[in-house]
Amino acid sequence: MIRNLLLAAFGLMFALQASAADVVGKWRTIDDETGQPKSIVEIYEKDGKYFGKIDQLLMKPNDTICDNCPGDLKGKPLVGMDVITDMVKKGKKYEGGEIMDPVKGKVYDCKFWLEGDNTLKVRGYLGFLYRTQTWQRAQ
């Protein structure tokens, strides 16, 4: 009985630790030019893939529409829009999907990974050129 209780407690601790180091949740993005918080992006999992949608804009009104987005996204509200699509977890990194910059309307290959529990490194690629942003977990 005590052994089963200890196993259950260990399992619960492991589950809590695993969820604490997960990318799922809300992340504060930082504007590259001003260094100020720009938006809150919520990363979520669906059917084994990871996506990121804009949850809140911090520098513009939440009813801002996307003037430069490609295709069907043009003219749609930014809040609620998926800007990260089809990411797959491979080891400690998430890759294979894309990230869109709604300001420029450009889509890039994407990779991201955790550095600690509260820092997410997000890298967008165009060929062999890339840019990495540091996002902070939003509370």
Side-chain angles (χ1 to χ4, degrees), residues 24-138:
V24 171
K26 295 184 180 184
W27 296 90
R28 185 175 301 105
T29 68
I30 306 299
D31 185 270
D32 288 339
E33 294 175 11
T34 67
Q36 297 298 311
K38 187 173 184 175
S39 66
I40 304 293
V41 171
E42 181 179 359
I43 296 180
Y44 65 97
E45 185 268 335
K46 181 180 176 187
D47 299 327
K49 292 189 176 184
Y50 293 80
F51 300 82
K53 67 180 175 183
I54 298 174
D55 182 66
Q56 182 181 3
L57 298 175
L58 302 175
M59 296 175 72
K60 294 182 178 181
N62 276 335
D63 61 353
T64 301
I65 62 168
C66 192
D67 293 324
N68 296 322
C69 288
D72 293 342
L73 297 176
K74 186 176 180 101
K76 300 278 170 88
L78 287 172
V79 172
M81 182 180 290
D82 279 335
V83 292
I84 298 174
T85 56
D86 297 322
M87 301 297 289
V88 177
K89 185 174 183 180
K90 294 185 179 177
K92 292 185 178 187
K93 293 189 177 184
Y94 298 76
E95 53 191 34
E98 296 178 325
I99 188 168
M100 180 186 58
D101 177 350
V103 173
K104 296 179 182 174
K106 303 276 187 193
V107 178
Y108 305 94
D109 292 332
C110 184
K111 180 185 294 186
F112 56 77
W113 62 94
L114 283 170
E115 288 193 356
D117 289 344
N118 297 316
T119 301
L120 186 68
K121 293 291 189 172
V122 180
R123 182 169 289 169
Y125 292 89
L126 186 59
F128 60 88
L129 301 173
Y130 64 87
R131 183 177 79 192
T132 305
Q133 291 185 337
T134 301
W135 295 2
Q136 298 297 321
R137 192 175 294 276

Side-chain angles (χ1 to χ4, degrees), residues 8-18:
F10 179 77
L12 180 61
M13 285 185 350
F14 180 79
L16 290 173
Q17 182 68 21

